[in-house]
Amino acid sequence: MTQSGKPRHKTRMAAGRKGANWRARTLAIRGGQSRTPFQETAEALFLTSGYAYDSAAQAAARFTGEDDGFQYTRFGNPTIAMFEDRMAALEGAPCARATASGMAAVSAALLAGLDAGDHVVAARAMFGSCRAVIAEILPRFGISHTLIDGSDLDAWRGAVTERTRMLFVETPANPTLDIVDIAAVAEIAERARAQLIVDNAFASPALQQPMKHGAHIVVHSSTKFIDGQGRCLGGVILCGKDFLEKRLQPYLRNTGPVMSPFNAWVHLKSLETLDLRMRAHCENAAKVADFLAAQKKVLRVRYPFREDHPGYALARRQMSGGGGVVGFDVAGGKDAAFRLMDALALIDISNNLGDAKSLITHPETTTHQRLKPDTRDELGIGPGLLRLSVGLEDAEDICEDLERGLAAV
Ligand SMILES: *Cc1c(COP(=O)(O)O)cnc(C)c1O
């Protein structure tokens, strides 16, 4: 407490009892928590834009950095800081910053780190908007790119130039579930003195920690499995101290794509059950993938932890579970896919993913609709591909619903 009796909170409040050796499941519940003098057990929601100062001199000191309290929620907020610290603990990252959405995280990581004249190499299998940022927005600022097949390490090596400053990869990728070797690509980045960014939205830190494999920067859409119940948008950037101080912090402070304290509070509390939920998502997704693989009308199933997945061995090496998303190609193309979706009674048709509710989408006509047909062919996004985000309902009910859908094909 200050002399005026008001609680004082530092930019990074003393994190209470520090558990340097705590394991991931404990960190997900305890990591980053800082309590006010009321000693609340649950994390406090600081829904405030600003902070009052004890004196004019203190306000001045905050702005020079001599006093490290909060100034304004665009620069920092105690609830957002708790979420960031917990995410950093789970990813094994030195620093974390939360953003308004996953795309705010992806675009901020790229724009903060790149200058006009720089070059980016990215695996072409990725979320539609990530591709738009790299292939449409960055070129307007004089930043060029090369898109390659992420599983081909020679393609990575061949694409890197003297101007390459960043490598970008999504693994598992949306919606094809391609797996990229993080350690091998990180080594290529190191040799080029470039930084590897990994979009870890599909795995979440519960199943994969890219920094342990050498990634320099990790980005998340916390809208997905981290929220886990389809409520709030959010994003996270995890990085080293140098990148944060020199590039990211000035970019975020001045452009303002920050997360709302309310969304940070929701996602902070969500992290407490992330590990439990991801185990249940994986268990259900594995059952559903096996069920689909046994159906005559299903041509192909894509699930990283099934032996018929081309990235199976790699997925086993760098992930501790196959994730909650299953891709499958239904015989009969778009008509069959639409008929299947329209016959479902439990699974919702939605382009979101990572929800407790099972959600299905047809990437060709929704999330990847803007791509040219030959680009979709290249990526393996055919007219019969469906992306199923397997929820936490009873797996038998999900399979029965799919059975109903397949009967309509
Ligand atoms: C959803 C998603 C994003 C974008 O996140 P938003 O929170 O929707 O902005 C980025 N990357 C991947 C892999 C995603 O699935």
Side-chain angles (χ1 to χ4, degrees), residues 100-104 106 127 129-130 170 172 174 199 201-202 220-224 233-235 352-353 387:
S101 68
M103 284 323 302
V106 170
F127 188 66
S129 292
C130 295
E170 196 176 292
N174 185 0
D199 184 334
F202 265 49
H220 272 286
S221 165
S222 57
T223 314
K224 312 291 168 58
L233 294 189
N352 195 17
L353 63 96
R387 185 193 75 193

Side-chain angles (χ1 to χ4, degrees), residues 16-32:
R17 291 167 296 154
K18 270 254 161 57
N21 299 316
W22 281 341
R23 290 157 189 84
R25 291 178 78 172
T26 307
L27 287 171
I29 291 161
R30 298 279 182 173

